[in-house]
Amino acid sequence: GENVEQHPSTLSVQEGDSAVIKCTYSDSASNYFPWYKQELGKGPQLIIDIRSNVGEKKDQRIAVTLNKTAKHFSLHITETQPEDSAVYFCAGGNTGTASKLTFGTGTRLQVTL
Amino acid sequence: DTAVSQTPKYLVTQMGNDKSIKCEQNLGHDTMYWYKQDSKKFLKIMFSYNNKELIINETVPNRFSPKSPDKAHLNLHINSLELGDSAVYFCASSQDLNYNEQFFGPGTRLTVL
């Protein structure tokens, strides 16, 4: 089955700086890679996703890149703000396996003033 | 106007008891999921249902039995609770099996004493 590794486990940046979180996956058949943000006491919420036919996707301050050959994808947050502080999860899955997503172990991002 | 709701939010119980967690989504989605998040924040899928039909059963002990009376509801019943069942359980839904965004509920924190 799919195995998704995520690094770093914790990340502290100053407000205004950029943050990068990296994930690798093992199953070359995976073709869907979402990123979720989980705030304290809440459920995860999708912030951006990318499919394997696309190398990069951007939504305002958030961007995701995918390297299919190397089987890794990254989340980039620019101009970080205190409200970006949360736990971020990457995930991978294959539309051929009945909607199963395998999640990474999470990155706790702390944006300091 | 809550999209995915779960009850109860907190559940504290003794070992050996039987308990249920209820989940409802008002998004008109076909697919629903149960995830378990342990103390290290690791998020793992347990079950998924599509139009009331079980799709994924991710080697979960038989003590866990999901029930989907209709496609808007997916309940989780747990028999003979064990200490290791303590976790936060999240319900989620998506439009269908093709990896549309998964919407998560607020979670149920289960504590087994």
Side-chain angles (χ1 to χ4, degrees):
Chain A
E2 175 67 285
N3 181 47
V4 177
E5 295 190 356
Q6 182 172 347
H7 300 280
S9 57
T10 60
L11 180 58
S12 182
V13 300
Q14 284 200 320
E15 184 180 6
D17 288 349
S18 295
V20 180
I21 303 171
K22 298 182 179 182
C23 288
T24 60
Y25 62 98
S26 61
D27 188 349
S28 56
S30 289
N31 56 13
Y32 176 67
F33 306 95
W35 286 88
Y36 284 82
K37 175 184 181 181
Q38 185 178 19
E39 297 177 339
L40 192 63
K42 296 184 178 180
Q45 183 176 13
L46 181 75
I47 54 172
I48 196 166
D49 57 13
I50 191 167
R51 296 185 187 268
S52 59
N53 58 349
V54 175
E56 184 174 358
K57 185 175 178 181
K58 190 174 182 180
D59 182 3
Q60 298 182 336
R61 297 186 296 108
I62 295 173
V64 58
T65 58
L66 171 65
N67 183 327
K68 285 173 53 181
T69 304
K71 294 203 199 73
H72 65 72
F73 55 113
S74 301
L75 177 71
H76 304 252
I77 307 174
T78 58
E79 300 172 27
T80 52
Q81 301 167 2
E83 50 266 38
D84 294 330
S85 296
V87 179
Y88 291 80
F89 293 94
C90 62
N94 180 344
T95 52
T97 56
S99 77
K100 179 181 174 182
L101 285 178
T102 301
F103 281 80
T105 48
T107 296
R108 184 177 298 277
L109 173 64
Q110 181 71 43
V111 180
T112 57
L113 298 173
Chain B
D1 57 347
T2 305
V4 182
S5 59
Q6 295 178 229
T7 55
K9 188 166 177 61
Y10 300 97
L11 187 51
V12 181
T13 188
Q14 300 285 335
M15 267 196 311
N17 284 351
D18 303 338
K19 290 293 178 186
S20 292
I21 306 171
K22 295 186 176 182
C23 178
E24 176 182 2
Q25 53 94 4
N26 63 4
L27 298 166
H29 288 170
D30 287 346
T31 310
M32 296 184 72
Y33 313 79
W34 277 109
Y35 286 87
K36 179 180 181 181
Q37 187 172 48
D38 62 23
S39 58
K40 295 184 179 180
K41 293 289 190 180
F42 189 58
L43 195 62
K44 186 169 168 59
I45 191 166
M46 301 171 67
F47 302 101
S48 76
Y49 271 72
N50 189 63
N51 278 321
K52 303 193 298 177
E53 180 185 348
L54 178 66
I55 302 298
I56 293 173
N57 182 340
E58 196 64 13
T59 60
V60 178
N62 291 338
R63 299 182 294 103
F64 290 78
S65 53
K67 284 189 172 53
S68 183
D70 55 62
K71 74 174 191 177
H73 295 84
L74 181 61
N75 303 323
L76 184 64
H77 188 76
I78 315 171
N79 289 327
S80 304
L81 279 156
E82 300 177 357
L83 293 176
D85 297 333
S86 295
V88 181
Y89 292 84
F90 287 100
C91 176
S93 73
S94 65
Q95 184 172 333
D96 53 40
L97 291 174
N98 294 319
Y99 285 117
N100 288 324
E101 176 178 355
Q102 290 190 21
F103 292 80
F104 282 77
T108 295
R109 181 175 293 277
L110 171 64
T111 302
V112 182
L113 304 175

